[in-house]
Amino acid sequence: HKNLPRLLDAFKILSTNYQLPTTHLVLVCPRDVFTERLQKEIKSRNLENTVELKGYQTAKNLSRLFQQASAYVFPSLSEGFGIPGLNAMAAGLPVVCSNIPVLKEVYSDAVLYFDPTNPKDIAQKIKNLLTNPTTKSDLVEKGKIQAQKYSWLKMAMETLKVYEEVV
């Protein structure tokens, strides 16, 4: 449901059809069960030199990766809420993601959406973000504002309020 094979297809299109300097894709996949399959997917597309597969990352290392990144790409086909994209927004990364209903509800207009079933659309949206500084800076600003709408404390307070109303 994370749709990584289509992201790899999109990255192959991006690296083949668009001359973007030093573009790399870093996949953070904390579940070892997927690592072997992803390595095969990467190799089958001849992307070993431009795609890096990382395992579990501590919060500190993930923060470092966010600081080094140009964008956060979230190609998921199904999500419960979309916390990873909000984390990226809070860290100041522009987000490019699937146009699935839950992400549209949570992210509003703070991201650039793509059709997650269409690798060409995914590649085009990533290219647009990487080559358009105005789009990138607009999304960073909107993302910071959007991420501030959500917090664990706010959720806990609202949940407590519901419990108090019921009792």
Side-chain angles (χ1 to χ4, degrees), residues 1-36:
H1 71 281
K2 296 302 180 187
N3 202 25
L4 296 180
R6 284 198 186 107
L7 176 58
L8 291 172
D9 290 340
F11 194 72
K12 180 71 175 180
I13 292 167
L14 194 66
S15 60
T16 303
N17 297 350
Y18 307 115
Q19 300 303 315
L20 300 176
T22 63
T23 303
H24 287 83
L25 178 64
V26 177
L27 300 174
V28 176
C29 185
R31 298 176 73 189
D32 289 339
V33 68
F34 299 118
T35 301
E36 187 176 326

Side-chain angles (χ1 to χ4, degrees), residues 124-141:
Q124 182 63 45
K125 296 301 177 11
I126 294 170
K127 177 199 164 273
N128 288 350
L129 179 68
L130 294 177
T131 60
N132 189 329
T134 303
T135 299
K136 185 174 181 174
S137 63
D138 286 349
L139 290 178
V140 168
E141 289 308 311

